[in-house]
Amino acid sequence: MKRRVFIKGAAVMTAGAAAALNGLPISRALAQNGPDLAAVQGGEPGIMFDKAIQAFGGMKNFVKPNQKVVVKPNIGWDTPVERAANTHPELVSRIIKHCLDAGAKEVVVFDHTCDQWKRTYESSGIEAAVKDAGGIMAPGHVARHYAEVAVPGGKDLKKARVHELVLEADVFINVPVLKHHGGAGLTIGMKNNMGIVWDRGDWHRSGLHQCIADFSTVRKPDLTVVDAYRMLMKNGPRGVSENDTALRKAQIISPDPVAADAASAKLFGIDPAKVPYIRIANEKGVGAMDLSTLAIERIRI
């Protein structure tokens, strides 16, 4: 996609509202083929996604009829939605509906959870939301469902066992929640990919940031949708109480996983260059960390 910058009439955020997105570059010119990244603020999770995907021309530009889609939220923790340790269920539900409306054959949702998977699926509210939306919940805790793949571009990570659902999917949509993480600094999209591999413990022992960046060269998501409706600001990745969170009502969406993570880091108040896995992935050419080169559509609801 060519780099463009643009303004889109009344849907563009006001200067005051834009300031709430912590310094994302200002758009300056007209786009012809849609943005590289959309930054939405001020609405509920479902409505914000409706606006964002509309900016990209609709889900039909990512999902074709009869394709198999995997949606990968963060469902790692046995905590309620108010703790912001997991992706908001309303966002997951709305993504599924857009995929099915675009003609998807099936939409499967899973995570290799940290807490016991049945409890996390239920307490997060995601299992119920997926079923109501017509999606399929799949377990991620069975070792035989993971196949070894090579990481030819890896420095520290040379191979990984990846869930077969992702390997067989036509479309992979990564839906992380933006939050503090004690080991990685931030959990965003590339860090959320640890939930599609089996042997993620090796990443912590081998060099977490390098492994996250190495793996990002293997299977890029077709779309990254970052949930920043309520952000876990400290004590991540699980959090201790609702007092650890801040209500921001924001969302970052991009086909470029590095751009999505870089914009999200800025939204969190951190220079993306100071998050090693973002910087390394940028150096590897996985995507663009320099947001000034991108067409960013700002949408205020």
CSV table of all heavy atoms in Angstrom, one decimal, residues 223-256:
chain,number,residue,atom,x,y,z
A,223,LEU,N,-5.1,-8.3,9.4
A,223,LEU,CA,-5.6,-7.1,10.1
A,223,LEU,C,-5.3,-7.2,11.6
A,223,LEU,O,-5.5,-8.2,12.2
A,223,LEU,CB,-7.1,-7.0,9.8
A,223,LEU,CG,-7.8,-5.6,10.2
A,223,LEU,CD1,-7.2,-4.5,9.3
A,223,LEU,CD2,-9.3,-5.7,10.0
A,224,THR,N,-4.8,-6.1,12.1
A,224,THR,CA,-4.7,-6.0,13.6
A,224,THR,C,-5.7,-5.0,14.1
A,224,THR,O,-5.7,-3.8,13.6
A,224,THR,CB,-3.2,-5.6,13.9
A,224,THR,OG1,-2.3,-6.6,13.5
A,224,THR,CG2,-3.1,-5.5,15.4
A,225,VAL,N,-6.5,-5.4,15.1
A,225,VAL,CA,-7.4,-4.5,15.7
A,225,VAL,C,-7.1,-4.4,17.2
A,225,VAL,O,-7.3,-5.3,17.9
A,225,VAL,CB,-8.9,-5.0,15.5
A,225,VAL,CG1,-9.9,-4.0,16.1
A,225,VAL,CG2,-9.2,-5.3,14.1
A,226,VAL,N,-6.6,-3.2,17.6
A,226,VAL,CA,-6.1,-3.1,19.0
A,226,VAL,C,-7.2,-2.5,19.8
A,226,VAL,O,-7.7,-1.3,19.6
A,226,VAL,CB,-4.9,-2.2,19.1
A,226,VAL,CG1,-4.4,-2.0,20.5
A,226,VAL,CG2,-3.8,-2.7,18.2
A,227,ASP,N,-7.6,-3.2,20.8
A,227,ASP,CA,-8.7,-2.8,21.7
A,227,ASP,C,-8.1,-1.9,22.8
A,227,ASP,O,-7.3,-2.3,23.7
A,227,ASP,CB,-9.3,-4.0,22.4
A,227,ASP,CG,-10.3,-3.7,23.5
A,227,ASP,OD1,-10.8,-2.5,23.6
A,227,ASP,OD2,-10.5,-4.6,24.3
A,228,ALA,N,-8.4,-0.6,22.8
A,228,ALA,CA,-7.9,0.3,23.9
A,228,ALA,C,-9.1,1.0,24.5
A,228,ALA,O,-9.1,2.2,24.9
A,228,ALA,CB,-7.0,1.3,23.3
A,229,TYR,N,-10.2,0.3,24.6
A,229,TYR,CA,-11.4,0.9,25.2
A,229,TYR,C,-11.2,1.1,26.7
A,229,TYR,O,-11.4,2.2,27.1
A,229,TYR,CB,-12.6,-0.1,25.0
A,229,TYR,CG,-13.9,0.4,25.6
A,229,TYR,CD1,-14.7,1.3,24.9
A,229,TYR,CD2,-14.4,0.0,26.8
A,229,TYR,CE1,-15.9,1.8,25.4
A,229,TYR,CE2,-15.6,0.4,27.4
A,229,TYR,CZ,-16.3,1.4,26.7
A,229,TYR,OH,-17.5,1.8,27.2
A,230,ARG,N,-10.7,0.1,27.4
A,230,ARG,CA,-10.3,0.3,28.7
A,230,ARG,C,-8.9,-0.3,28.8
A,230,ARG,O,-8.7,-1.5,28.5
A,230,ARG,CB,-11.2,-0.4,29.7
A,230,ARG,CG,-10.8,-0.2,31.2
A,230,ARG,CD,-11.7,-1.0,32.1
A,230,ARG,NE,-13.1,-0.4,32.1
A,230,ARG,CZ,-13.5,0.7,32.8
A,230,ARG,NH1,-12.6,1.2,33.7
A,230,ARG,NH2,-14.7,1.1,32.8
A,231,MET,N,-7.9,0.5,29.3
A,231,MET,CA,-6.5,0.0,29.2
A,231,MET,C,-6.0,-0.3,30.6
A,231,MET,O,-6.2,0.5,31.6
A,231,MET,CB,-5.6,1.1,28.6
A,231,MET,CG,-6.0,1.5,27.2
A,231,MET,SD,-4.8,2.4,26.2
A,231,MET,CE,-4.1,3.5,27.3
A,232,LEU,N,-5.3,-1.4,30.7
A,232,LEU,CA,-4.7,-1.8,32.0
A,232,LEU,C,-3.3,-1.1,32.0
A,232,LEU,O,-2.4,-1.4,31.3
A,232,LEU,CB,-4.5,-3.4,32.0
A,232,LEU,CG,-3.8,-4.0,33.2
A,232,LEU,CD1,-4.6,-3.7,34.5
A,232,LEU,CD2,-3.6,-5.5,33.0
A,233,MET,N,-3.2,-0.1,32.9
A,233,MET,CA,-2.1,0.8,32.9
A,233,MET,C,-0.9,0.3,33.8
A,233,MET,O,0.2,0.8,33.7
A,233,MET,CB,-2.5,2.2,33.4
A,233,MET,CG,-3.7,2.8,32.7
A,233,MET,SD,-3.3,3.0,30.9
A,233,MET,CE,-2.0,4.2,31.0
A,234,LYS,N,-1.2,-0.7,34.7
A,234,LYS,CA,-0.1,-1.2,35.6
A,234,LYS,C,-0.5,-2.6,36.1
A,234,LYS,O,-1.6,-3.0,35.9
A,234,LYS,CB,0.1,-0.3,36.8
A,234,LYS,CG,-1.1,-0.1,37.7
A,234,LYS,CD,-0.9,0.9,38.8
A,234,LYS,CE,-2.1,1.1,39.7
A,234,LYS,NZ,-1.9,2.0,40.8
A,235,ASN,N,0.5,-3.3,36.6
A,235,ASN,CA,0.3,-4.6,37.1
A,235,ASN,C,-0.1,-5.6,36.1
A,235,ASN,O,-0.8,-6.6,36.3
A,235,ASN,CB,-0.7,-4.6,38.3
A,235,ASN,CG,-0.2,-3.9,39.5
A,235,ASN,OD1,1.0,-4.0,39.8
A,235,ASN,ND2,-1.1,-3.1,40.1
A,236,GLY,N,0.3,-5.3,34.8
A,236,GLY,CA,0.0,-6.3,33.7
A,236,GLY,C,0.9,-7.4,33.7
A,236,GLY,O,2.0,-7.3,34.3
A,237,PRO,N,0.6,-8.5,33.1
A,237,PRO,CA,-0.6,-8.6,32.2
A,237,PRO,C,-1.9,-8.9,32.8
A,237,PRO,O,-2.9,-8.9,32.1
A,237,PRO,CB,-0.1,-9.8,31.3
A,237,PRO,CG,0.7,-10.7,32.2
A,237,PRO,CD,1.4,-9.7,33.1
A,238,ARG,N,-2.0,-9.3,34.1
A,238,ARG,CA,-3.3,-9.8,34.6
A,238,ARG,C,-4.0,-8.6,35.3
A,238,ARG,O,-5.2,-8.6,35.3
A,238,ARG,CB,-3.0,-10.9,35.6
A,238,ARG,CG,-4.2,-11.7,35.9
A,238,ARG,CD,-3.8,-12.9,36.9
A,238,ARG,NE,-4.8,-13.9,36.9
A,238,ARG,CZ,-5.9,-13.9,37.6
A,238,ARG,NH1,-6.2,-12.8,38.4
A,238,ARG,NH2,-6.8,-14.9,37.6
A,239,GLY,N,-3.2,-7.7,36.0
A,239,GLY,CA,-3.8,-6.7,36.8
A,239,GLY,C,-4.3,-7.2,38.1
A,239,GLY,O,-4.4,-8.4,38.3
A,240,VAL,N,-4.5,-6.3,39.0
A,240,VAL,CA,-4.9,-6.6,40.4
A,240,VAL,C,-6.4,-6.2,40.6
A,240,VAL,O,-7.1,-7.0,41.2
A,240,VAL,CB,-4.0,-5.9,41.4
A,240,VAL,CG1,-4.5,-6.2,42.8
A,240,VAL,CG2,-2.6,-6.4,41.2
A,241,SER,N,-6.8,-5.0,40.2
A,241,SER,CA,-8.1,-4.6,40.4
A,241,SER,C,-8.5,-3.6,39.3
A,241,SER,O,-7.6,-3.2,38.5
A,241,SER,CB,-8.2,-3.9,41.7
A,241,SER,OG,-7.6,-2.6,41.7
A,242,GLU,N,-9.7,-3.2,39.3
A,242,GLU,CA,-10.2,-2.2,38.3
A,242,GLU,C,-9.5,-0.9,38.4
A,242,GLU,O,-9.4,-0.1,37.5
A,242,GLU,CB,-11.7,-2.0,38.4
A,242,GLU,CG,-12.4,-1.3,37.3
A,242,GLU,CD,-13.9,-1.2,37.4
A,242,GLU,OE1,-14.4,-2.1,38.1
A,242,GLU,OE2,-14.5,-0.3,36.9
A,243,ASN,N,-8.9,-0.6,39.6
A,243,ASN,CA,-8.2,0.6,39.8
A,243,ASN,C,-6.9,0.7,39.0
A,243,ASN,O,-6.3,1.8,38.9
A,243,ASN,CB,-7.8,0.8,41.3
A,243,ASN,CG,-9.0,1.0,42.2
A,243,ASN,OD1,-10.0,1.6,41.7
A,243,ASN,ND2,-9.0,0.5,43.4
A,244,ASP,N,-6.5,-0.4,38.4
A,244,ASP,CA,-5.3,-0.4,37.6
A,244,ASP,C,-5.6,0.0,36.1
A,244,ASP,O,-4.7,0.1,35.3
A,244,ASP,CB,-4.7,-1.9,37.5
A,244,ASP,CG,-4.1,-2.3,38.8
A,244,ASP,OD1,-3.8,-1.5,39.6
A,244,ASP,OD2,-4.0,-3.6,38.9
A,245,THR,N,-6.9,0.3,35.8
A,245,THR,CA,-7.3,0.5,34.5
A,245,THR,C,-7.7,2.0,34.3
A,245,THR,O,-7.9,2.7,35.2
A,245,THR,CB,-8.5,-0.3,34.1
A,245,THR,OG1,-9.7,0.2,34.8
A,245,THR,CG2,-8.3,-1.8,34.4
A,246,ALA,N,-7.7,2.4,33.0
A,246,ALA,CA,-8.2,3.7,32.6
A,246,ALA,C,-9.1,3.6,31.4
A,246,ALA,O,-8.8,2.9,30.5
A,246,ALA,CB,-7.0,4.6,32.3
A,247,LEU,N,-10.2,4.3,31.5
A,247,LEU,CA,-11.2,4.2,30.3
A,247,LEU,C,-10.8,5.2,29.3
A,247,LEU,O,-10.7,6.4,29.5
A,247,LEU,CB,-12.6,4.6,30.8
A,247,LEU,CG,-13.7,4.4,29.8
A,247,LEU,CD1,-13.9,3.0,29.4
A,247,LEU,CD2,-15.0,5.0,30.4
A,248,ARG,N,-10.4,4.7,28.1
A,248,ARG,CA,-9.9,5.6,27.0
A,248,ARG,C,-10.8,5.6,25.8
A,248,ARG,O,-10.6,6.4,24.9
A,248,ARG,CB,-8.4,5.2,26.6
A,248,ARG,CG,-7.4,5.4,27.7
A,248,ARG,CD,-7.3,6.9,28.0
A,248,ARG,NE,-6.4,7.1,29.2
A,248,ARG,CZ,-5.1,7.2,29.2
A,248,ARG,NH1,-4.5,7.0,28.0
A,248,ARG,NH2,-4.4,7.4,30.3
A,249,LYS,N,-11.6,4.6,25.6
A,249,LYS,CA,-12.5,4.5,24.5
A,249,LYS,C,-11.8,4.8,23.2
A,249,LYS,O,-12.2,5.7,22.4
A,249,LYS,CB,-13.7,5.5,24.7
A,249,LYS,CG,-14.6,5.1,25.8
A,249,LYS,CD,-15.9,5.9,25.8
A,249,LYS,CE,-16.9,5.4,26.8
A,249,LYS,NZ,-18.2,6.1,26.8
A,250,ALA,N,-10.8,4.0,22.9
A,250,ALA,CA,-10.0,4.1,21.7
A,250,ALA,C,-9.8,2.8,21.0
A,250,ALA,O,-10.0,1.7,21.6
A,250,ALA,CB,-8.7,4.8,22.0
A,251,GLN,N,-9.5,2.8,19.7
A,251,GLN,CA,-9.2,1.6,18.9
A,251,GLN,C,-8.2,2.0,17.8
A,251,GLN,O,-8.3,3.1,17.3
A,251,GLN,CB,-10.5,1.2,18.3
A,251,GLN,CG,-10.7,-0.3,18.2
A,251,GLN,CD,-12.1,-0.7,17.8
A,251,GLN,OE1,-12.4,-0.7,16.6
A,251,GLN,NE2,-13.1,-0.9,18.7
A,252,ILE,N,-7.3,1.1,17.6
A,252,ILE,CA,-6.3,1.3,16.5
A,252,ILE,C,-6.4,0.1,15.5
A,252,ILE,O,-6.4,-1.0,16.0
A,252,ILE,CB,-4.8,1.3,17.1
A,252,ILE,CG1,-4.7,2.5,18.1
A,252,ILE,CG2,-3.8,1.5,15.9
A,252,ILE,CD1,-4.7,3.9,17.5
A,253,ILE,N,-6.5,0.4,14.3
A,253,ILE,CA,-6.7,-0.7,13.3
A,253,ILE,C,-5.8,-0.5,12.1
A,253,ILE,O,-5.7,0.6,11.6
A,253,ILE,CB,-8.2,-0.7,12.8
A,253,ILE,CG1,-9.2,-0.9,13.9
A,253,ILE,CG2,-8.4,-1.8,11.7
A,253,ILE,CD1,-9.7,0.3,14.5
A,254,SER,N,-5.1,-1.6,11.7
A,254,SER,CA,-4.2,-1.5,10.6
A,254,SER,C,-3.9,-2.8,10.0
A,254,SER,O,-3.7,-3.8,10.8
A,254,SER,CB,-2.9,-0.8,11.0
A,254,SER,OG,-2.0,-0.7,9.9
A,255,PRO,N,-3.7,-2.9,8.7
A,255,PRO,CA,-3.1,-4.2,8.1
A,255,PRO,C,-1.6,-4.3,8.4
A,255,PRO,O,-1.0,-5.4,8.2
A,255,PRO,CB,-3.3,-4.0,6.6
A,255,PRO,CG,-4.2,-2.9,6.5
A,255,PRO,CD,-4.0,-2.0,7.7
A,256,ASP,N,-1.0,-3.3,8.9
A,256,ASP,CA,0.5,-3.3,9.2
A,256,ASP,C,0.6,-3.5,10.7
A,256,ASP,O,0.3,-2.7,11.5
A,256,ASP,CB,1.1,-1.9,8.8
A,256,ASP,CG,2.6,-1.9,9.0
A,256,ASP,OD1,3.1,-2.6,9.9
A,256,ASP,OD2,3.3,-1.1,8.3
